[in-house]
């Protein structure tokens, strides 16, 4: 039996999360560190390798027992190795596998397999193997938070696309009339309406258009959570924002159905914590917009929350090593 440990890494714009998995597949140690964003993210992989070395020392494990590293990154990844831009880390296009292998080798690890993947794809794999996706061979995980991501698994396999862009639904062009730019450089992307910033922007705009009383009028730094909490207590502006975001997301799910036709859509990310307040308008919009073949697709919340990415990064490497 394989006696090697696997390190799973979930790389975010604020924190890097780590999980160390035993040969039996158990997460034996997990921790996080603030992401070293200096110098266009040049030190992030060095930092990850340092963290790995410290963890092995702390756990009393020989460095040669590291068998592989799975790393989820907030951007597109091609073929498990080439990063195709991560805007919020300052990264362009480069061979992450090669660079991380070098950083690990410089710290005394052997040459280990590094499997990189998009963070939403990692979260989808996590839910597929350990969470709300366990019962589905064909599923999509949609994460709605600061941005909107999606990972698509068909017939038990993650689909990443030829250019690493499969599931990038946050940038589906949903409004050709938009004049404001999205962070990606285009205008009218789904994210501009249904991610956290879009929900807040919509609410502020609607508040200025009327004098209807609202709990939200007097909050100094309005957040999407404030808006959805207000919706849960029946506030008209909160309800409007939830309905509008739900409408846009439901249409996007109908588009995914038309291409990939998954059995289930799992909704994760910070916005999903609002529960039925956001889930109900998503379901209603989906049922109205989807082609008749797929109206029975399940829409439900994801289960693993912040751990999905770590579990998915682990399984991405495990599957790769088992099929080698
Ligand atoms: Zn965009």
């Amino acid at each position: 039996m394989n006696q090697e440990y696997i390190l799973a890494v979930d790389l975010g714009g604020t924190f890097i999360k780590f999980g160390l998995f035993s040969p039996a597949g158990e997460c034996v140690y997990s921790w996080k560190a603030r992401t070293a964003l200096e110098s266009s993210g040049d030190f992030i992989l060095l930092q990850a390798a340092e963290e790995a070395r410290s963890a092995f020392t702390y756990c009393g494990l020989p460095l040669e027992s590291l068998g592989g590293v799975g790393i989820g990154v907030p951007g597109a990844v091609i073929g498990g190795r080439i990063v195709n831009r991560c805007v919020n880390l300052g990264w362009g296009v480069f061979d992450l596998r090669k660079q991380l292998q070098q950083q690990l080798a410089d710290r005394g690890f052997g040459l280990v397999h590094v499997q990189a993947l998009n963070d939403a794809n990692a979260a989808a794999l996590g839910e597929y193997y350990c969470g709300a996706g366990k019962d589905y061979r064909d599923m999509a995980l949609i994460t709605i938070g600061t941005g909107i991501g999606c990972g698509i698994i068909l017939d038990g396999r993650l689909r990443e696309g030829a250019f690493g862009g499969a599931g990038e639904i946050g940038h589906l062009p949903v409004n050709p009339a938009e004049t404001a730019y999205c962070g990606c450089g285009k205008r009218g992307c789904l994210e501009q309406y249904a991610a956290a910033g879009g929900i807040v922007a919509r609410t502020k705009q609607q508040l200025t258009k009327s004098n209807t009383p609202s709990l939200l009028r007097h909050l100094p730094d309005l957040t999407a959570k404030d808006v959805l909490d207000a919706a849960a207590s029946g506030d008209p502006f909160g309800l409007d924002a939830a309905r509008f975001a739900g409408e846009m997301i439901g249409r996007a799910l109908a588009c995914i159905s038309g291409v990939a036709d998954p059995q289930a859509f799992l909704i994760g990310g910070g916005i999903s914590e609002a529960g039925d307040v956001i889930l109900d308008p998503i379901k209603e919009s989906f049922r109205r917009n989807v082609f008749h073949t797929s109206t029975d697709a399940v829409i439900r919340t994801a289960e693993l929350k912040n751990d999905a990415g770590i579990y998915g990064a682990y399984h991405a490497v495990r599957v790769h090593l088992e099929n080698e």
Side-chain angles (χ1 to χ4, degrees):
M1 189 192 149
N2 173 27
Q3 288 305 309
E4 291 177 327
Y5 282 74
I6 287 176
L7 180 68
V9 184
D10 183 7
L11 187 46
T14 312
F15 289 106
I16 313 184
K17 286 178 274 181
F18 299 87
L20 186 56
F21 287 78
S22 73
E26 226 179 305
C27 184
V28 291
Y29 183 48
S30 62
W31 74 103
K32 69 178 181 178
R34 199 163 266 283
T35 312
L37 291 173
E38 307 79 35
S39 310
S40 305
D42 279 356
F43 300 118
I44 294 173
L45 295 181
L46 180 154
Q47 179 190 20
E50 289 282 352
E51 290 282 344
R53 190 190 158 91
S54 302
F56 270 68
T57 307
Y58 177 78
C59 295
L61 294 168
L63 298 185
E64 51 276 20
S65 65
L66 178 64
V69 178
I71 178 166
V73 303
V77 178
I78 305 166
R81 69 184 301 164
I82 308 293
V83 165
N84 189 5
R85 294 177 69 207
C86 292
V87 179
N88 56 356
L89 300 181
W91 284 358
V93 180
F94 71 102
D95 188 340
L96 183 149
R97 179 180 293 164
K98 194 172 160 196
Q99 288 200 16
L100 185 53
Q101 281 176 331
Q102 185 62 53
Q103 293 289 354
L104 289 164
D106 288 350
R107 277 152 197 84
F109 291 99
L111 178 64
V112 300
H113 180 73
V114 170
Q115 189 74 16
L117 69 171
N118 169 265
D119 55 3
N121 289 346
L125 273 185
E127 293 288 342
Y128 175 74
Y129 282 108
C130 316
K134 277 188 290 200
D135 295 333
Y136 310 108
R137 291 282 290 169
D138 301 283
M139 55 151 271
L141 169 79
I142 291 86
T143 59
I144 314 166
T146 313
I148 297 179
C150 171
I152 296 172
I153 291 172
L154 295 177
D155 201 19
R157 280 190 61 199
L158 180 66
R159 311 313 315 197
E160 297 176 286
F163 308 104
E168 284 292 351
I169 65 163
H171 306 283
L172 285 180
V174 295
N175 179 10
E178 181 58 71
T179 53
Y181 283 95
C182 173
C184 75
K186 301 192 298 129
R187 287 182 279 200
C189 296
L190 175 66
E191 247 177 49
Q192 289 179 276
Y193 308 99
I199 290 174
V200 170
R202 162 89 183 183
T203 308
K204 285 182 173 165
Q205 190 189 59
Q206 297 300 107
L207 282 167
T208 60
K209 285 187 188 165
S210 90
N211 295 319
T212 308
S214 169
L215 306 164
L216 298 167
R217 284 201 186 279
H218 313 292
L219 293 178
D221 298 304
L222 199 59
T223 65
K225 184 176 185 310
D226 295 333
V227 174
L228 296 172
D229 285 349
S233 60
D235 183 274
F237 294 90
L239 287 168
D240 166 81
R243 187 200 53 74
F244 185 71
E247 173 66 34
M248 297 305 235
I249 294 164
R251 285 188 211 170
L253 301 195
C255 292
I256 297 173
S257 260
V259 179
D261 198 20
Q263 203 179 353
F265 293 97
L266 311 178
I267 313 294
I271 298 296
S272 71
E273 287 167 26
D276 288 344
V277 159
I278 188 73
L279 220 56
D280 286 346
I282 292 174
K283 287 179 185 170
E284 198 277 317
S285 164
F286 174 76
R287 307 274 182 248
R288 195 166 16 84
N289 288 299
V290 74
F291 190 56
H292 72 86
T293 50
S294 308
T295 44
D296 290 338
V298 173
I299 299 178
R300 51 173 293 187
T301 44
E303 278 173 11
L304 299 179
K305 300 213 160 66
N306 293 330
D307 293 331
I310 287 290
Y311 281 95
Y314 162 71
H315 283 287
V317 190
R318 178 191 61 75
V319 168
H320 179 89
L321 293 175
E322 283 175 9
N323 291 331
E324 242 180 4

